[in-house]
Amino acid sequence: MKSKIAEKFRTLFGKDGEFFASAGRINLIGEHTDYNGGFVFPGAVDKGIIAEIMLNGTDKVCAYSIDIDEYVEFGLNEEDAPTQSWARYIFGVCRETVKRGGKIGGFNTVFAGDVPIGAGMSSSAALESTFAFALNYLFNLKIDKFELARIGQATEHNYCGVKCGIMDQFASIFGKKGNLIRLDCKTMEYKYFPFNPEGYRLVLLDSVVKHELASSAYNKRRESCERVTAAIRKNHPEVEYLRDAKREWLNEVKADITDEDCKRAEYVIEEVQRVLDVCDALERGDYETVGQKMYETHYGMSKLYEVSCEELDFLNNVAKECGVTGSRVMGGGFGGCTINLVKDEIYDSFIEKAKASFKEKFGHEPKVYEVVISDGARKLD
Ligand code: GLA
């Protein structure tokens, strides 16, 4: 990938720039908890974005995406926003950096990636983090890593229409080889957990479906949570996020909220606790509990939060039938992947069964990605 980028960069710009990279992510457990101030448990993966960048001394960005095979130029002011969605991510990162007082100028860039798009592995966070990290480095801005993650998140909010939480950008910036990271999204305290489950493998099965309107459905889930939080806060003013609410407090406001909002909140309150339970179980080496919690999350995401879909429920069922230790839909939902914790001895038969039965039902095989937990944003030599 790097040599392909370098070749294109020379052809386009006649010089060599510097290389930066960042990663997509997995999340073992803790879904839709981040914007509720709860816990998440992600890690960066060995699939990501690589960009070659060189400052060009102008106030223009000249960017080429190898994967889309498209060249775009844009200025750094608000009215210069490009229309191409891939370029909006880079533009958004520039704008959010400027909003934070970062003095930046134009640059030339060529980039490529291998995070499957729409798989729920945060290809967009990988792109944002690569550029946030690179601008910080190249312009010597001294922005701290948390703020770099927030630059990516704000890009989603203000330039891409997704009111996402901080998990993806955090994992993409803070990712460390061989480690998952438990993050408290309220306090931003985090802890690395070495993850090397002996006798097990983590594998993603990508349904290769992406349902339309995923981002508006995502934003609606967030609004549900905010409504319930506001209702609970009337009785318990200390509740800043849904994460702060006790299960009983939800019951107190049942009459004031819709059944749908109530189900959404029930899922979130349970999910926040599940992350803590999984971290405890991991420290004991108790993978059976880890797996059981993953199944519980799937159930909640499917029946209460309603962000699963037929294809993902199917993959989850196959996992259950094959005796897979844990399986659930990963990421925002509405398509994408399941993440599966599988014992070595049944790995091959599970993958074979999942591929064959999925193909029989949906006409194509799911894609299979073995998870390798890797480093996040960095400069390459
Ligand atoms: C998407 C968002 C994240 C998070 C997950 C669900 O990936 O970008 O902030 O909310 O969905 O856990």
Side-chain angles (χ1 to χ4, degrees), residues 184-196:
D184 178 330
C185 298
K186 183 174 175 184
T187 63
M188 294 305 278
E189 276 170 323
Y190 64 98
K191 183 180 168 193
Y192 288 104
F193 283 70
F195 186 74
N196 181 24

Side-chain angles (χ1 to χ4, degrees), residues 25 27 29-42 122 125 149 153 156-157 162-171 183-188 218 221-222 225-226 240-244 267-269 271-272 275 305 331-332:
R25 60 108 190 87
N27 184 28
I29 198 152
E31 226 62 89
H32 291 274
T33 45
D34 56 357
Y35 53 83
N36 285 301
F39 296 93
V40 291
F41 201 23
S122 297
Q153 182 192 22
E156 298 277 351
H157 286 203
V162 183
K163 300 289 179 196
C164 66
I166 195 70
M167 170 170 72
D168 304 350
Q169 292 78 10
F170 175 86
L183 172 68
D184 178 330
C185 298
K186 183 174 175 184
T187 63
M188 294 305 278
Y218 180 95
R221 296 300 182 282
R222 185 172 182 148
C225 294
E226 284 166 359
E240 191 184 342
Y241 294 100
L242 201 44
R243 168 264 174 94
D244 302 315
Y267 162 77
V268 170
I269 294 171
E271 180 74 353
V272 170
V275 182
Y305 219 63

Side-chain angles (χ1 to χ4, degrees), residues 279-305:
C279 291
D280 288 349
L282 262 190
E283 283 185 323
R284 296 192 306 268
D286 174 2
Y287 297 110
E288 290 306 313
T289 300
V290 173
Q292 188 200 326
K293 297 286 164 193
M294 291 168 75
Y295 279 113
E296 286 174 20
T297 294
H298 186 86
Y299 178 87
M301 287 179 84
S302 178
K303 302 290 182 275
L304 301 173
Y305 219 63

